[in-house]
Amino acid sequence: MNIGQAAKRSGLSARMIRHYEAIGLIVPAGRGDNGYRRYAEADLQRLAFIKRARDLGFSLEEVGRLLDLWQDRQRASAEVKALASAHIAALERRIDELASLRDTLRELVEHCRGDERPDCPILRELASGCCTGSQGPS
């Protein structure tokens, strides 16, 4: 199948498939007589694996490691579990950071009158974080 068909079946864009080839995440596809890339079922399985891992938030580096482990029939599942556990810990840190940002913004919104007056605690808070040395809008 060509790259358009592989993209449709894998749920990835043709551009992303070419990118994964360029960075070595997948082996470059063979070429047909017409010069077009040709993908086999095994390529689709690899692309589906990559898509699912990316959907779960794994970095490209982590996806590469997971692909290596997936293909290594002598692997220890403990290595896969350790990688996934580390990813969970990173996700939990990010969730905590996002929750803190949400809570801060929620508090600012609650203290903003949202009326016709120019006073705005949201803008005041944003301005208080300025570290460039300039005061006020430029």
Side-chain angles (χ1 to χ4, degrees), residues 68-86:
D68 290 344
L69 290 166
W70 182 46
Q71 305 236 326
D72 179 4
R73 298 292 178 204
Q74 303 303 314
R75 70 183 173 269
S77 63
E79 195 172 348
V80 179
K81 184 177 181 175
L83 199 148
S85 294

Side-chain angles (χ1 to χ4, degrees), residues 3 21 25-26 54 63 65 69 84 91 95 101 121 124 136:
I3 195 167
E21 285 182 1
L25 206 53
I26 59 173
R54 293 294 287 157
V63 171
R65 186 69 193 123
L69 290 166
L91 288 172
I95 289 166
L101 291 172
R124 192 169 43 248

Side-chain angles (χ1 to χ4, degrees), residues 14-120:
R15 181 176 153 267
M16 195 50 78
I17 294 171
R18 285 190 292 272
H19 174 68
Y20 291 155
E21 285 182 1
I23 64 172
L25 206 53
I26 59 173
V27 176
R31 302 280 179 153
D33 293 339
N34 58 7
Y36 293 159
R37 288 174 170 88
R38 302 297 301 165
Y39 295 90
E41 286 300 317
D43 297 318
L44 286 179
Q45 289 176 348
R46 192 169 176 94
L47 290 170
F49 184 100
I50 293 168
K51 182 175 185 331
R52 182 66 178 137
R54 293 294 287 157
D55 287 349
L56 289 171
F58 285 100
S59 69
L60 289 175
E61 182 180 329
E62 291 168 326
V63 171
R65 186 69 193 123
L66 287 167
L67 281 166
D68 290 344
L69 290 166
W70 182 46
Q71 305 236 326
D72 179 4
R73 298 292 178 204
Q74 303 303 314
R75 70 183 173 269
S77 63
E79 195 172 348
V80 179
K81 184 177 181 175
L83 199 148
S85 294
H87 184 61
I88 289 169
L91 288 172
E92 288 173 343
R93 283 190 301 276
R94 184 67 179 139
I95 289 166
D96 290 345
E97 291 169 4
L98 289 171
S100 177
L101 291 172
R102 180 205 58 217
D103 294 346
T104 298
L105 190 54
R106 182 177 284 148
E107 184 176 330
L108 289 170
V109 167
E110 287 172 2
H111 287 94
C112 181
R113 292 179 188 225
D115 58 15
E116 305 304 319
R117 298 177 196 176
D119 181 53
C120 179

